[in-house]
Amino acid sequence: MQLAKPELLKTQNYINGQWRDAASSIEVRDPANGTLLAEIADGSATDAGAAVAAAHTALPAWREKTAAERAAVLKRWHQLIMDNADDLARILTLEQGKPLAEAKGEIAYGASYIEWYAEECRRAYGQTIPTHNPAMRLQTIRQPVGVVTCITPWNFPNAMITRKAAPALAAGCTVVIKPASETPLSALALCQLAEEAGLPAGTINMVVGSDAPAIGRVLTEDERVAKFTFTGSTAVGKILMAQCATGVKKMSMELGGNAPFIVFDDADLDTAVSACVATKMRNAGQTCVSTNRIYVHESVHDEFVEKLRAKVAELQVGHGTDEGVTVGPLIHRRAVERVAQLVQDSVDAGATIELGGDFLPAGENYYAPTVISGVTDDMRIAQEEIFGPLAPVQKFTDEDDVIRRANNTPYGLAAYVMSENIRRANRVVEALEYGMVACNTGVFSTTVAPFGGSKESGIGREGGVEGMAEFYETKYCCFGA
Ligand code: SIN
């Protein structure tokens, strides 16, 4: 791999400030063409235990630093990431598949969490509480929760790490991260830059490993761990939550979604179509907040479908490093086959392919950006998280009915509303049972706002002041007479 800074290509685990080998290795391949990119030390549960021990040992010195001292190190880390953004984006595209422009966007987005939390940790104020007894004084102070463990996904191999690790480190916690085995290179490069920034040995540790259940057990059950944070599927999240329960660990869970995208008859259809393509096709649809069910008012349905078809047809599919490419491959063949099966099931049940619906000759992990109409709520495609470049459109006639249909899912991550009527927009935004609702836009993720879901989409928030609060314990201090 050609990099301006070749030291960013790391292939070992990072534990207690040391790069460590393992007995076996994991192959990392370019999902676009199968090219072998690197072989990574396949860490074990024992390595995870060593990483937790290192984080536990490093904790007292790190948490005792002033917020300004921690902020200075984090700001250096942020700067190094930005200085090396081109290399980091290239690594990300090669191992994950997203187009280079999106990868660059992710690097800046990921780094922004580090900068923002470096600033925010200086405002960890407690309170002086008006006392109930003149002889007593009551206060709260905010202290870091302790050792934090993280399991992060392959769809955002950089930003999902910084969104967890930055607030944790800023608060004074130490961290152990298990990145996805598909995309460890972006993760390990972040550790290399953290080391160069001066994060002390043991404050940040990383274990890549193919035995996810065994490593996950250590990260959720070790008694030295105070908090566990996870981004991934609801099914795996439930298993990890049960494991956390044995030690009453604090936890944050960012899980699956089934995002509705509602287009009312008073929407600006060009805005709605652009928003729909942005949420649906970003990262080839492999985003937790990608829209999954597109509900369009019957009076504008045909026009919307035609405009959507035309806009999706403009997308350029190919290798993420090629000029002009806007949609890359999916992460692996299983994902492509699943998407193809969802299309087939829908067509068998009466839906119509308006565009796409094909594998592509470019490679076995590509699937054509696809638009389907005639979808109904009982189809698999409307009930499961698609995680692919597939836009399924349904009709609705009535506001109350579409709200009921949109809420009729165990998930509650993100929802989208398209309407130019401010009263309706407010009403519907408030009625949707989701952690995040975007109105007249398809892109809403930002460092400064809380990201997270309700119902089976998760617990806790990442980003903004809420994301920082997840890593503090509020201690009530009562001083007697
Ligand atoms: C995710 O898919 O979990 C993250 C998406 C985002 O931050 O926008």
Side-chain angles (χ1 to χ4, degrees):
M1 191 185 296
Q2 287 285 317
L3 297 174
K5 183 175 164 86
E7 308 88 284
L8 288 177
L9 189 64
K10 307 304 290 188
T11 56
Q12 294 159 301
N13 291 301
Y14 186 63
I15 300 171
N16 202 21
Q18 291 165 351
W19 294 96
R20 296 199 191 168
D21 276 326
S24 55
S25 59
I26 301 174
E27 290 184 346
V28 184
R29 291 185 179 273
D30 181 342
N33 52 27
T35 302
L36 181 65
L37 300 172
E39 294 188 60
I40 306 286
D42 188 4
S44 62
T46 308
D47 293 316
V52 170
H56 189 248
T57 305
L59 181 65
W62 183 246
R63 95 180 140 206
E64 275 155 30
K65 285 192 186 302
T66 64
E69 287 169 336
R70 288 197 298 273
V73 181
L74 290 172
K75 284 191 173 179
R76 280 201 296 277
W77 191 23
H78 166 260
Q79 192 55 52
L80 283 168
I81 292 170
M82 294 312 293
D83 291 348
N84 291 283
D86 286 348
D87 274 352
L88 293 172
R90 187 169 164 75
I91 293 171
L92 203 163
T93 291
L94 288 176
E95 67 177 347
Q96 198 273 342
K98 68 179 63 172
L100 202 52
E102 276 190 46
K104 283 187 182 162
E106 179 177 344
I107 300 302
Y109 174 50
S112 72
Y113 284 100
I114 302 176
E115 184 182 45
W116 202 80
Y117 284 113
E119 290 160 356
E120 187 61 15
C121 70
R122 303 182 70 169
R123 292 182 278 274
Y125 302 117
Q127 286 188 309
T128 300
I129 302 170
T131 185
H132 64 300
N133 177 338
M136 298 171 101
R137 294 293 174 268
L138 320 181
Q139 295 177 0
T140 60
I141 56 172
R142 300 174 95 191
Q143 294 180 304
V145 293
V147 173
V148 172
T149 52
C150 321
I151 297 185
T152 57
W154 50 259
N155 62 342
F156 287 84
N158 175 294
M160 295 305 100
I161 291 178
T162 58
R163 191 154 89 178
K164 293 173 179 4
L169 290 164
C173 302
T174 52
V175 297
V176 177
I177 302 152
K178 183 203 172 298
S181 304
E182 291 88 341
T183 54
L185 298 174
S186 296
L188 293 167
L190 279 174
C191 283
Q192 169 66 25
L193 295 175
E195 182 176 66
E196 290 177 25
L199 270 161
T203 39
I204 182 165
N205 305 273
M206 193 166 281
V207 179
V208 184
S210 56
D211 192 352
I215 295 173
R217 269 209 178 274
V218 174
L219 301 188
T220 50
E221 293 186 353
D222 189 294
E223 61 183 19
R224 295 163 293 191
V225 173
K227 164 146 184 147
F228 174 71
T229 157
F230 172 69
T231 296
S233 71
T234 297
V236 174
K238 286 181 183 178
I239 295 168
L240 296 166
M241 284 171 76
Q243 291 172 193
C244 285
T246 59
V248 196
K249 307 289 188 213
K250 294 185 181 309
M251 55 184 146
S252 304
M253 296 279 161
E254 206 260 89
L255 307 177
N258 184 0
F261 185 100
I262 308 173
V263 184
F264 285 100
D265 51 358
D266 49 25
D268 177 313
L269 284 194
D270 291 325
T271 301
V273 166
S274 297
C276 187
V277 173
T279 151
K280 184 67 251 184
M281 299 299 169
R282 175 165 81 117
N283 202 11
Q286 303 171 109
T287 300
C288 303
V289 293
S290 286
T291 182
N292 222 56
R293 294 171 288 156
I294 303 164
Y295 294 106
V296 185
H297 191 272
E298 61 175 0
S299 66
V300 292
H301 172 273
D302 293 355
E303 191 184 349
F304 177 87
V305 170
E306 185 43 39
K307 282 176 182 276
L308 181 64
R309 209 194 55 73
K311 190 102 181 157
V312 171
E314 288 170 9
L315 297 170
Q316 294 288 316
V317 181
H319 195 289
T321 57
D322 289 349
E323 192 66 31
V325 163
T326 46
V327 177
L330 299 195
I331 191 69
H332 40 50
R333 182 67 186 174
R334 280 195 315 285
V336 180
E337 280 165 1
R338 197 175 151 274
V339 170
Q341 194 56 55
L342 287 174
V343 172
Q344 190 56 52
D345 286 0
S346 314
V347 170
D348 291 348
T352 305
I353 297 175
E354 302 281 350
L355 180 76
D358 298 314
F359 299 104
L360 291 175
E364 64 166 18
N365 291 347
Y366 287 98
Y367 195 81
T370 296
V371 178
I372 301 183
S373 63
V375 171
T376 51
D377 285 323
D378 54 351
M379 293 180 185
R380 257 184 81 198
I381 204 172
Q383 296 183 1
E384 296 179 19
E385 192 170 23
I386 298 169
F387 245 59
L390 172 51
V393 184
Q394 323 195 22
K395 281 184 187 168
F396 76 91
T397 51
D398 170 64
E399 181 182 308
D400 288 341
D401 187 50
V402 78
I403 292 170
R404 186 193 54 74
R405 286 164 69 188
N407 285 339
N408 187 21
T409 164
Y411 298 103
L413 192 58
Y416 302 83
V417 180
M418 303 292 130
S419 169
E420 294 292 302
N421 175 334
I422 186 76
R423 278 194 294 268
R424 165 175 275 155
N426 272 318
R427 202 163 56 227
V428 178
V429 165
E430 288 180 17
L432 289 169
E433 296 163 357
Y434 288 81
M436 299 172 283
V437 184
C439 186
N440 295 332
T441 179
V443 181
F444 61 83
S445 304
T446 159
T447 322
V448 301
F451 188 106
S454 56
K455 302 201 293 194
E456 292 193 18
S457 288
I459 294 178
R461 293 293 181 268
E462 296 184 334
V465 289
E466 292 85 352
M468 185 100 208
E470 301 278 343
F471 297 97
Y472 287 125
E473 191 79 76
T474 297
K475 185 180 282 178
Y476 161 46
C477 314
C478 176
F479 298 92

